[in-house]
Amino acid sequence: MDRQEDHLKGSFLDQSVSVRVRALGSTRMTSESPPPSAAWELLLPAAAAPARARGRSLRSALRDAVRAGRLAPGTRLPSSRDLARDLGVSRGLVTEAYEQLTAEGYLRSGRGAGTWVGEAARAAAPGARDLAPRTADGIRVDFRAGSPDLSLFPRTAWAAAQRDVLSALPHQGLGYPDPRGLPRLRTVLAELLARRRGVVTDPERIIVCSGVTQAVTLLGFVLHARGQRGIGVEDPGSPQYEELFAAAGPAAVRLALDAEGLALGPLRASGVRAVVTTPSHHFPSGIAYSAARRAQLLDWAREVGGLVVEDDYDGDFRYDRAPVGALQGLDPEHVAYTGSVSKSLVPGLRLGWMVVPDALADEVVARKRYMDLGNPALDQATLARLVERGDYDRQLRRCQRAYKERRDALVAALRAHLPGTEVSGIAAGLHAIATLPDRYGPPEALVERCAATGVAVRPLGHYGSATGEGVSLVLGYAHLSPGRITEGVRLLARAAQELDHARVHSTRR
Ligand SMILES: Cc1ncc(COP(=O)(O)O)c(C=O)c1O
């Protein structure tokens, strides 16, 4: 496998999703403009290598990038001063790497200032317009939603936080943790959730868990033990809830949505007393529940003595205005709030939190204790330290900038290559819905044609029982560079046009 590639499993129980994280410099840069600093982030792991190996790692990462064609011949490199600053290494290290690779013929230095990727590397490079190599299943660009950009994980800050923790942690801190989570983490989370999401809580009410998935599972067990045989889920929504609840006991009862959020009629008619929702950014349609619907949902919960489970899976990312505050803030006794670091850091950490009504707290904590005796203490302490150092907020700001740029790239590419496509759900989150003109349907045929062309997409219908109207695709964009997004949309347009032509020809015959 290409060393610059990272094939990683998808998220949220979806083992079939293979995500290729963004590749260095996948946008063609002209010799006039050095690539944006974001394009150099794949050199960061090399820059974070131990001091002794750092120079070698940097040279080898640059060489690989040129060989693999990610830095095309003629690409101008940033000045050694700029790159050193972006990577957080000494300028001498970068100068040395430039000189070495120039001597080897990978780079050339111009008269005056400036370093370029040399023409000699052309033979090895596939050419800037070349598409990304196909993965084992033939996929070049994977738009399936669910993953943040794993290469944005703040490795250096995490390592520093972990070092701080290890040097200060008393031996007792390595024993079995409080099943509710380390007090230190609960304290910072209470402040963070109140400040960023308007959650009403205090450290005593927070339960640390291994993600939204575990939070929902724990609630499934507790509600089932209390006699609830069915729990409502959004339709369309995360298909995984059916399996989660099957393991915990209750049946997942699918409930339809309308333009404002979960529809109240079907909810009342269903007889359920608990429902899992994504009110800040519905998954997958991307709508935010209207203020009226949020209020109606809470009225329902009060009337039936029920519970609204608020899955705030990507509530931190809102591009056009401040994030909508959590529903939980309006009625903490009828809402169980849950979120995780799966989108803000990486899903592999398996770290999340829940804030449940007082009446359920003891039972949830007891379940958590039986299930796993609590989350790993070192990771909890490291996350707490990361927040305390301000690095978690910095990470959110950094991701917000990167994801907004990618969202804009997606919208622009769809406008350029698939005119007539409506894009929705773009105000927040890490995915959008693209509704293509009807002639490119039906969605199943388009998805199949896309796969053959090398682009993986999922139709909106994948997430619900209703087939839905139009040719709507759920496009995850956060894990892809702007260049890869444009390339993916070009492939998608090609697939759509082939499908359209094939149909026109067959009806003419
Ligand atoms: C709707 C929804 N909820 C929750 C999650 C994340 O769950 P966890 O926090 O367990 O990783 C995802 C991840 O893709 C999701 O799509």
Side-chain angles (χ1 to χ4, degrees):
M1 191 181 8
D2 187 329
R3 286 166 63 191
Q4 298 289 343
E5 280 176 22
D6 223 346
H7 292 276
L8 293 146
K9 286 290 179 193
S11 61
F12 203 39
L13 301 187
D14 186 353
Q15 296 303 313
S16 68
V17 183
S18 167
V19 182
R20 186 173 188 279
V21 300
R22 82 216 196 101
L24 173 63
S26 51
T27 331
R28 173 77 205 242
M29 290 88 175
T30 68
S31 55
E32 306 311 322
S33 51
S37 57
W40 302 98
E41 275 161 8
L42 266 186
L43 294 176
L44 281 171
R52 260 181 313 124
R54 203 168 296 148
R56 187 163 22 90
S57 303
L58 195 61
R59 289 193 295 276
S60 138
L62 259 177
R63 207 180 282 119
D64 283 351
V66 174
R67 271 201 206 116
R70 292 195 182 83
L71 289 176
T75 300
R76 184 179 181 179
L77 275 72
S79 71
S80 53
R81 186 195 306 273
D82 284 352
L83 186 57
R85 194 197 46 227
D86 280 359
L87 297 177
V89 299
S90 74
R91 189 174 171 195
L93 215 63
V94 176
T95 316
E96 222 176 84
Y98 280 6
E99 283 171 4
Q100 174 73 26
L101 268 75
T102 303
E104 291 174 11
Y106 288 92
L107 304 180
R108 65 182 164 79
S109 50
R111 263 172 278 131
T115 306
W116 285 264
V117 176
E119 298 300 316
R122 192 184 286 283
R129 284 196 49 78
D130 249 298
L131 296 168
R134 287 173 179 254
T135 56
D137 55 0
I139 294 305
R140 290 172 166 141
V141 180
D142 191 343
F143 277 122
R144 287 172 293 189
S147 181
D149 186 337
L150 306 177
S151 76
L152 291 182
F153 180 65
R155 288 171 189 255
T156 311
W158 184 266
Q162 198 166 45
R163 249 193 329 272
D164 289 356
V165 164
L166 281 173
S167 60
L169 194 73
H171 295 319
Q172 291 92 314
L174 294 168
Y176 285 109
D178 182 333
R180 291 177 301 165
L182 297 191
R184 178 179 183 180
L185 179 58
R186 288 189 278 118
T187 301
V188 297
L189 285 177
E191 187 278 327
L192 186 81
L193 296 177
R195 172 166 56 84
R196 294 197 65 96
R197 306 294 301 121
V199 172
V200 173
T201 189
D202 60 65
E204 289 307 304
R205 291 167 59 111
I206 290 191
I207 301 164
V208 175
C209 56
S210 60
V212 169
T213 308
Q214 187 180 50
V216 174
T217 308
L218 287 167
L219 287 166
F221 274 114
V222 167
L223 295 174
H224 191 251
R226 286 183 164 212
Q228 295 195 28
R229 295 291 165 255
I231 296 184
V233 294
E234 294 169 328
D235 183 8
S238 278
Q240 292 85 349
Y241 285 128
E242 308 219 341
E243 287 154 45
L244 289 191
F245 287 140
V253 179
R254 294 175 178 209
L255 299 170
L257 272 81
D258 60 27
E260 290 190 65
L262 195 77
L264 263 292
L267 173 62
R268 289 185 192 285
S270 71
V272 298
R273 292 205 296 122
V275 62
V276 185
T277 61
T278 48
S280 296
H281 186 233
H282 168 248
F283 185 85
S285 79
I287 63 161
Y289 281 27
S290 69
R293 188 56 51 84
R294 286 155 63 95
Q296 288 161 353
L297 200 55
L298 294 176
D299 286 344
W300 164 83
R302 289 179 206 121
E303 270 165 47
V304 303
L307 181 73
V308 179
V309 180
E310 179 175 19
D311 170 359
D312 198 24
Y313 66 106
D314 67 359
D316 275 307
F317 300 114
R318 177 114 202 165
Y319 308 115
D320 302 329
R321 58 183 172 90
V324 185
L327 188 65
Q328 189 266 4
L330 299 176
D331 191 343
E333 288 314 314
H334 289 95
V335 179
Y337 173 88
T338 172
S340 74
V341 300
S342 292
K343 301 289 191 270
S344 53
L345 293 172
V346 283
L349 276 173
R350 306 311 304 135
L351 258 179
W353 42 82
M354 58 198 299
V355 182
V356 301
D358 280 343
L360 292 174
D362 289 347
E363 288 157 78
V364 171
V365 173
R367 275 282 164 189
K368 171 72 182 158
R369 183 183 292 118
Y370 304 143
M371 207 175 255
D372 58 16
L373 296 175
N375 279 68
L378 281 179
D379 286 350
Q380 291 190 60
T382 304
L383 177 59
R385 185 73 194 117
L386 196 80
V387 179
E388 289 161 3
R389 289 166 50 102
D391 286 325
Y392 188 75
D393 282 285
R394 253 188 295 284
Q395 166 74 359
L396 289 174
R397 286 196 296 274
R398 178 166 174 239
C399 291
Q400 167 98 3
R401 276 196 303 277
Y403 297 161
K404 182 171 190 298
E405 186 192 353
R406 294 164 196 208
R407 177 200 72 157
D408 293 346
L410 177 69
V411 173
L414 286 167
R415 194 171 295 140
H417 298 290
L418 276 166
T421 297
E422 264 178 48
V423 195
S424 56
I426 55 171
L430 314 186
H431 69 275
I433 306 291
T435 303
L436 278 61
D438 285 346
R439 66 176 183 280
Y440 297 134
E444 298 69 28
L446 178 60
V447 168
E448 217 170 279
R449 180 67 66 138
C450 280
T453 313
V455 60
V457 289
R458 286 220 168 94
L460 186 56
H462 172 81
Y463 298 95
S465 54
T467 47
E469 282 168 30
V471 188
S472 295
L473 303 176
V474 180
L475 301 179
Y477 54 78
H479 59 289
L480 299 167
S481 68
R484 186 58 55 76
I485 289 169
T486 308
E487 184 182 316
V489 171
R490 223 183 275 136
L491 288 172
L492 172 56
R494 192 198 296 167
Q497 279 143 14
E498 282 172 6
L499 195 64
D500 190 28
H501 288 161
R503 181 166 330 96
V504 170
H505 280 290
S506 71
T507 46
R508 277 207 194 127
R509 253 187 256 129

